Amino acid sequence: MTSIDKRKDEHIEYAMDPTNRKTENSEFDRLVLEHDCVPEISFDEIDVSSMFLNQSISAPLIIGAMTGGSREGDRINENLAKAAQKLQIPLALGSQRAAIETGRTQKIREIAPDALILGNLGATQVRDHGVEFVKRAVESVNADAMVIHFNPLQELIQPGGDTDWSRILSEIKKCSESLRIPIIAKEVGSGISVRSAKKLQFGGINWMEVAGRGGTSWARIEMSRNSNDYLKKVAEPFLDWGMDTVSLIKLIRRNMNTANLIGSGGIRNGLDVAKCLILGCDLAAVAQPFLSPARKSSEAVIEAVSVYTEQLKWALFLTGSRNLIDLKKVKVYEK
Ligand SMILES: Cc1cc2nc3c(=O)[nH]c(=O)nc-3n(C[C@H](O)[C@H](O)[C@H](O)COP(=O)(O)O)c2cc1C
């Protein structure tokens, strides 16, 4: 097992621990949708299908990036891929760095030939290895889009993490100019601010996955793995660093009408998905809640995802919305 594989398996283990989540209540809980006690629709008519990257999907929900493979990761991805294929929802892979560096095959396409598959690499790896490396990652899974993750806090806390973030934007711009598929920029739990989103758009990226504060905390996960007392002291005030998902979605939507937006970071049910869409997201992505089911079986993932889509349909019914176009017109209040 390589050291990256070992680290990835540890991440999976620590991400299951509830203490490695943000401590306060979610900002989603403070949002209330306008209830319609006269919905005038039949529940059976409700349609939550959507379009993403020119393909029809059964719900505006992405299985969020978690693992690109490792001993434990391969089994997880197999279960996630089976569910993505069966339910026709997109699957975002976790970082493919180790697989590409070691030449390991990722059998995603054999399992999910028709599902939308999003590849994944870190921003600093893209800068260091260039366009050809990114193309190998795309080709290895026949990806429909390439996700580049931006995780400066995680890199600061992670032993041996990459703390040189110079020249990232210019290298990513080269990538976005030479790839045939879209690039999606994402954080991993601290969020993409308006300032960052504008820089990313300048770098040729028009899809952003917010991955804001509110769900999985990478600072907490890395701190749990770390035994360096000095680093622990330094990192302490940054454990809940970042900007909340709900605030970021509102801010980006207010300031940047043209960016395509994926809401993520702490989305814990289908009602949160509905709130993301009303706030102006095109889709929502959910990672950690699908981890435990993915360690069990594909059936467990299918059930977990189905709960989200069913809850989304309930939100549509109770707001008198027949489809996602109607949902976007629903009023949202703050408690
Ligand atoms: C076990 C685990 C591994 C992850 N690995 C990656 C990764 O390799 N690449 C990435 O972009 N994000 C990764 N993430 C971050 C998620 O995609 C997501 O942005 C973050 O966990 C916040 O969403 P959540 O609150 O729904 O978990 C990982 C998350 C988890 C829980």
Side-chain angles (χ1 to χ4, degrees), residues 9 18 21 23 36 42 73 91 97 99 120 239 246 248 290 295 324 333-334:
D9 279 351
R21 290 177 210 146
T23 45
D36 188 354
S42 159
L91 167 61
R97 175 189 174 183
N120 187 300
L239 285 186
V246 169
L248 286 176
F290 297 148
R295 293 180 98 186
L324 299 176
Y333 299 96
E334 298 220 1

Side-chain angles (χ1 to χ4, degrees), residues 52-102:
F52 179 42
L53 307 176
N54 298 321
Q55 189 168 316
S56 169
I57 53 175
S58 67
L61 179 65
I62 299 174
I63 299 177
M66 281 187 283
T67 171
S70 63
R71 198 171 45 183
E72 158 102 82
D74 284 340
R75 200 164 49 84
I76 289 175
N77 270 350
E78 205 178 297
N79 289 334
L80 293 174
K82 281 183 188 160
Q85 174 69 20
K86 167 103 178 131
L87 298 171
Q88 281 301 301
I89 60 161
L91 167 61
L93 298 176
S95 176
Q96 297 173 268
R97 175 189 174 183
I100 302 303
E101 281 179 353
T102 57

Side-chain angles (χ1 to χ4, degrees), residues 26-46:
S26 156
E27 273 200 4
F28 283 104
D29 296 340
R30 289 190 17 234
L31 300 179
V32 179
L33 304 188
E34 186 171 54
H35 173 60
D36 188 354
C37 70
V38 197
E40 288 196 288
I41 43 172
S42 159
F43 186 81
D44 293 339
E45 293 169 45
I46 288 173

Side-chain angles (χ1 to χ4, degrees), residues 16 66 76 287-297 300-301:
M16 302 282 296
M66 281 187 283
I76 289 175
Q288 199 275 346
F290 297 148
L291 183 58
S292 166
R295 293 180 98 186
K296 292 192 194 117
S297 64
V301 181

